[in-house]
Amino acid sequence: MGGAAPEGGTALPGRWVCRKPASAATRRMAAQKRKAPGAPEKKDRKLKRAPAAETPPAAPRGSTEARPEEGASSDPELSPEEKRVLERKLKKERKKEERKRLREAAAAAPAQPLPAKPSGAQLALDYLCGWAQKHQSWRFQKTRQTWLLLHMYDCDQVPDQHFPTLLAYLEGLRGRARELTVQKAEALMRQLDEADAGPGHPLLERSRRARQVLQLLS
């Protein structure tokens, strides 16, 4: 009666109540029940601590810390193809603006007269002077020579100061050009004889030049 209660028994006053020992499965279930209520609590604590760690601390009053600008551009970066299209578009716009600027500048500038084109007489006389001065750039031009042969008796087309140079040039004529020049001078002399020109006649100056040509080439 007064001894220790056996394992699994409960001591009651005046008697012993015998209890069967708990099985291994029963002990495992009891252990799981004891652990189950604590697990969610620990998990909840972790979840509660996580947002607190992610939330940045509030900036103190008067702080000048830079804040992200509102309305900042959030457009995605352009692809290479879109960049090329945009560059071509901008290049076309720049060219258009440049052409417009040039047109406006041309319209605002006063019109300048074009340089006068040299006459046939001036070109022929320049050709003759170039020959006389033995310019290295001088070369034979049949068009200029033909003009000189046609107008060499006209004092207005070939002034007197150029006629001696023309006679020196005629001395080098050869072939058909020389024959035609002589024939034309002879025809001019006959025309003067038939006209019986007196003093002051316009043919007198022409006949004087024709006589000099015949003396040179005959």
Side-chain angles (χ1 to χ4, degrees), residues 99-211:
R99 287 195 295 266
K100 182 179 179 181
R101 187 184 64 80
L102 291 176
R103 286 196 299 269
E104 291 176 353
Q112 297 181 355
L114 296 175
K117 187 177 180 180
S119 63
Q122 186 61 47
L123 292 174
L125 293 176
D126 291 343
Y127 168 80
L128 182 63
C129 293
W131 171 85
Q133 296 171 6
K134 308 298 183 184
H135 285 171
Q136 294 181 354
S137 60
W138 183 90
R139 60 185 180 84
F140 173 75
Q141 298 183 43
K142 187 175 182 180
T143 303
R144 307 297 174 224
Q145 176 176 290
T146 301
W147 189 96
L148 290 171
L149 295 178
L150 289 175
H151 299 88
M152 63 181 178
Y153 302 114
D154 189 341
C155 298
D156 295 331
Q157 297 290 341
V158 181
D160 289 339
Q161 64 265 28
H162 292 290
F163 191 71
T165 305
L166 180 57
L167 288 176
Y169 179 86
L170 295 178
E171 191 174 2
L173 287 179
R174 297 290 183 272
R176 185 64 176 167
R178 188 183 184 96
E179 294 176 2
L180 291 176
T181 301
V182 171
Q183 292 176 7
K184 187 173 183 180
E186 292 175 345
L188 186 59
M189 293 299 297
R190 288 194 299 270
Q191 184 180 359
L192 179 62
D193 294 339
E194 294 173 359
D196 193 15
H201 196 280
L203 288 177
L204 290 178
E205 182 61 28
R206 298 171 67 91
S207 63
R208 182 182 64 82
R209 290 191 174 188
R211 187 177 296 109

Side-chain angles (χ1 to χ4, degrees), residues 41-61:
E41 184 178 357
K42 293 180 180 178
K43 187 176 182 180
D44 292 340
R45 290 198 200 101
K46 291 180 180 180
L47 292 175
K48 289 179 181 178
R49 286 196 299 271
E54 294 176 359
T55 304
R61 290 185 178 180

Side-chain angles (χ1 to χ4, degrees), residues 21-94:
S23 64
T26 304
R27 288 196 297 270
R28 282 197 301 272
M29 291 177 65
Q32 290 177 358
K33 288 180 180 180
R34 286 195 299 272
K35 293 180 180 179
E41 184 178 357
K42 293 180 180 178
K43 187 176 182 180
D44 292 340
R45 290 198 200 101
K46 291 180 180 180
L47 292 175
K48 289 179 181 178
R49 286 196 299 271
E54 294 176 359
T55 304
R61 290 185 178 180
S63 174
T64 58
E65 183 180 356
R67 298 179 180 178
E69 297 182 0
E70 296 182 359
S73 175
S74 60
D75 296 338
E77 186 178 357
L78 298 177
S79 65
E81 181 62 27
E82 290 174 337
K83 288 182 179 179
R84 286 193 293 269
V85 172
L86 182 60
E87 289 175 358
R88 286 195 294 268
K89 184 177 179 181
L90 293 175
K91 188 175 181 180
K92 288 181 180 179
E93 291 179 356
R94 287 194 296 268

Side-chain angles (χ1 to χ4, degrees), residues 1-19:
M1 294 293 290
E7 183 178 357
T10 304
L12 295 177
R15 62 178 179 176
W16 288 95
V17 179
C18 183
R19 181 181 294 174

